[in-house]
Amino acid sequence: MKLKGLVWFFAIALIIVSLWELSYTWAVHSFENKQHSAAERYVKVTAPSLKGDEKTAAIEKRKLQLLDSLRDKEAYPIVGTSYQDCKKNELNLGLDLQGGINVTMDVSLEGLIKSLSINPTDPQLLAALKTANAQKVNSDAGFVTLFTNAYKLQNPNANLAGLFAGAGKEIKTTDTDAAVIKWIQKNADDAIGLTYTTLQKRIDKFGVSQPTINLDKAKGIINVELAGVKDPQRVRDYLTSSANLQFWEMYTLDEGDKDDKEGRNAAFVASLKKADENLYKSLYGDSAKIDSTKLNPFFRIMMPMQPYQDKKTKEYFYPAEIGQVMLKDTSKFFEYINSPAFTSGLLPTARLLLGKEEKEKAAKGGGEVRFFNVYAIKTQAGTDKAPMEGDAIESARDDFSQDGKPIVTMRMTPAGSRNWERMTTKNTGLPVAITLDDIVYSAPNVNGPISGGNTEISGKFTVEQTQDLSQILKSGKLNAPAKIVAETEVGPTLGAEAVRGGKLAFIISFAIIFILMLVYFNTAGWVANIALILNLLFTVGVLATFGFTLTAAGIAGLVLTIGMAVDTNVIIFERIKEELTKGKSYEQAVNDGYKRSLAPVIDAHVTTLLTAIILAYFGLGPVLGFATTQIIGILLSLFCGILVSRLITDFWTNKKRHFNYFTGISKRVFKHAAFKFIEYRKVAYGISIVVLIAGIGAYFNGFNKGVEFEGGRSFTVAFDRPVKNSDVQDDLKAAFGDFPVIKTIGDNKHLNITTSYLKGVEGADSAVKAKLYQGLKKVLGTTTFEQFAKSNIQGSAKVEPSISDDLKKGAIKATVFAILIIFVYIFLRFRDWRYSLGTIVALLHDVLVTLAVFSFLKNIVPFSLEIDQHFIAAVLTVIGFSMNDTVIVFDRVREYSRDMKGADKGTIINKAINDTLSRTIMTSLTVFLTILILFIFGGEVTRGFAFAMLIGVVTGTYSSIFVAAPILVDFAKDKPLGQADLLGGNDTKAVVKK
């Protein structure tokens, strides 16, 4: 093998990198376990009477406080890395493995367009918006395009400028429709970007270690995943609230400020000191003996700002911020300022807020110091309303001053102008705070009263900062809230079960395949097993390195990778065995085996890879995790199965030793197989016709559609005893008005209940849960609604009709696109349309069988058979696997077409199938076993996926032999089968047509 040194380098490098990246996960878990133990000891001493859930909650709260305060503490002693940095590099776990919530949010542009118009109640405007909303469900076009097309269709003689042009507006009555559309689209893009940025800031407040937020700007869709979040309802409320832009008067530490006519700063400083004293007493008691090491607990967390001297006037000034809090102390900061002792001392009109996160170079030792500036705003007692709200802003933009410095200019509405003039007159010489969602983005000093509503905000800004600030100011005008259109909630208990099931399935699968390789391939099995171990190590290492998230479906992908990873070695070893059987020496057999296996191995992996990429493109959430894991596993399987395996084989051969590829079992299995497959093709065609009829019948018989494709709400409910569907179905019908879909999970102590009650109605989650509780009350006994919502509901999902339609369209597109891509690949690969036709017919056969089984057995088998994203993932994976088998046979057919000149097509194809039968059965067996183990032990999350895959493995093996290959005989009978191998792996040459 050429380039051995390079392969050694990459193999060793990947081992080191993978182990290194995974070591951070070990360090994090070790550190967190220590803090958990410390939290348990703390609660045991401070609150010995706590029991059950209260004790668990107290331990968790203390643990989070410890972790927050120890962010910069060394957690990885070997390299001196802090806990915070280790956390960034650990392997991400999805919410289905640790609990949490995933929401898909649709940025509503209807309100934006209304706010941009001169008359939000214009009937023509409203009619076009209504049409756009109706079309949005079934169209891939953007909302702005749908709205403008609808308006022009409904008002062919009107110009769009008539809706948006007016006094003080950017649009003029003479502007063309194209110019107006461009302006609306720019505002829409700004609004979507601002909503995305706002959500990013908001999720930082939830305290989860690995938040994920992704934006599809073209569709206005934002996907947020918060694994490990403890309060999903708070997430929903906070993510869907409108951006709250406000302008506040402020307090500073400048007690002698001459511009502070009312003396508010002096009163504030005095109250801040009093609040700190009260906090000390509440923490350490009001004893006569003062512990100086514990004095000023608040000021130990918040470092007060010092005054600075003006170089020209030599006067001292205090900045707008009153102090700084280090990132590691933010949890303690909020605990202090929200404590009754602290608030009782602070002015009732004073409220402390943080600014954006700041970073500075550390004074010693390099690295970064991360902190927040602290600001004190002046409120009106008893209200959260600011002196001026965001609706006062007419427009805002980033600009440059006359001397070239970045600034922000903003224009107020007429009412806002009057309010702004009053506010700036009162606060001349003082700072005012500009906040969004209680984060201070800017605190400029007021140089003088501002009349007319045009304002310039200057300071030590960068261009990027002025762009951000102008976007923040626009949020008061741009009305584009994000609505939750789909969500999945997984409780920690359900997540823990998914982890246990996934681990068990993974370990058993690995052990069985490991043993099977040794039993079937003798000592050569060690090569396959080493390649398998490295493949799994590299896959998990890559996931950790690039920050990918491992989900329950991702574990299923790993389990499937185990089965498919050995396929490369099975193909190669079976070929080596053939060459040895022909009497070749070990060296020659190994060389020819690897060489002749290259084309089928690459074909098999490319076809599977194509379907995985398509799945990744169209998939969401856990399915995306599965596809990502599969893509990585497939690519690494090529590296480990071809290059690393050859490296190990050559290393051993160079020592004048050889691996044994035969055992007593493998010598006897399929020895001299000579089955007449082609002679039975008409029987196979008859079976295929039955399959076609069954597939068509499945359409009319219907399917159990998952909540993703049907819309509605789904709940996983736990009970303290086994519960039958019949125990609850009548009561649930009475509560919901129709029968929900009820499925038993696992031990019969869990039910999954899906209902369309109040489907598509906003804010109906609590009402649906109340009806669910009402329908289950008989079997719940004395459980209260609050206990039911907190403890019994272990997982839930909600999908609005609009997004469910998108998911259905995406699923259909993914399947059709996968089949077309494979048709094109096979045509290019074999340069013969008959190969493509045989492949597509075999794939359709496999898909129809799977659909028929899921339709006709949906109410028979004791587990859920749903058509959802996991099912689509299974279908695409089945397509890839079936292709894998089919291509192996086709490669051999092409090879024998060259070698067996004069033989008829039936003989060639029969020999090709028989000679690859051992490989076909071995590959199918390894994949089938791993999927069967996943089906038995993997848990409910992946059971439907695993069942579909089990069907696919069996039918894929059948279709490769009895459907795809016979088509080569019955189509274009006067043409030869052989074509040139573009990869050159089989040394095949173009067959010259006579």
Side-chain angles (χ1 to χ4, degrees), residues 738-750:
D738 61 1
F739 283 111
V741 178
I742 306 171
K743 293 165 293 189
T744 301
I745 296 178
D747 56 5
N748 296 329
K749 291 184 179 181
H750 293 78

Side-chain angles (χ1 to χ4, degrees), residues 254-272:
D254 194 351
E255 298 174 83
D257 189 349
K258 64 179 184 303
D259 293 311
D260 180 14
K261 305 293 191 299
E262 57 191 44
R264 59 183 169 191
N265 288 339
F268 167 71
V269 172
S271 75
L272 193 61

Side-chain angles (χ1 to χ4, degrees), residues 413-604:
T413 63
S417 297
R418 293 189 293 271
N419 199 2
W420 186 232
E421 184 174 5
R422 284 194 296 270
M423 188 173 179
T424 53
T425 299
K426 182 180 178 183
N427 290 277
T428 295
L430 302 172
V432 293
I434 303 172
T435 69
L436 181 72
D437 288 341
D438 289 340
I439 297 174
V440 179
Y441 280 84
S442 183
N445 211 60
V446 178
N447 294 327
I450 301 173
S451 60
N454 292 320
T455 303
E456 179 183 294
I457 303 175
S458 59
K460 295 180 179 179
F461 292 130
T462 64
V463 172
E464 185 180 27
Q465 287 171 333
T466 57
Q467 290 173 341
D468 290 344
L469 182 55
S470 66
Q471 289 296 316
I472 295 300
L473 292 170
K474 285 181 183 180
S475 70
K477 185 66 179 172
L478 301 180
N479 182 16
K483 181 179 75 170
I484 293 177
V485 292
E487 71 171 61
T488 301
E489 180 186 338
V490 179
T493 303
L494 214 56
E497 290 174 358
V499 172
R500 283 194 295 272
K503 280 183 179 177
L504 191 60
F506 178 81
I507 292 169
I508 295 174
S509 298
F510 180 83
I512 287 179
I513 300 304
F514 193 95
I515 294 169
L516 184 61
M517 288 297 101
L518 296 177
V519 169
Y520 195 79
F521 289 116
N522 209 323
T523 54
W526 285 107
V527 179
N529 287 332
I530 292 172
L532 173 61
I533 292 170
L534 291 178
N535 193 355
L536 293 172
L537 172 64
F538 296 162
T539 300
V540 179
V542 169
L543 287 172
T545 301
F546 291 98
F548 294 124
T549 298
L550 181 64
T551 63
I555 293 179
L558 280 178
V559 173
L560 187 60
T561 297
I562 292 174
M564 300 188 77
V566 297
D567 181 49
T568 302
N569 289 116
V570 170
I571 295 172
I572 294 170
F573 292 173
E574 285 297 320
R575 192 65 196 232
I576 291 174
K577 286 165 62 179
E578 285 185 45
E579 302 302 326
L580 288 170
T581 304
K582 293 176 182 176
K584 294 182 180 181
S585 66
Y586 266 96
E587 290 85 350
Q588 189 61 44
V590 168
N591 284 331
D592 290 349
Y594 274 93
K595 186 177 181 181
R596 291 176 180 271
S597 298
L598 180 63
V601 165
I602 291 179
D603 279 334

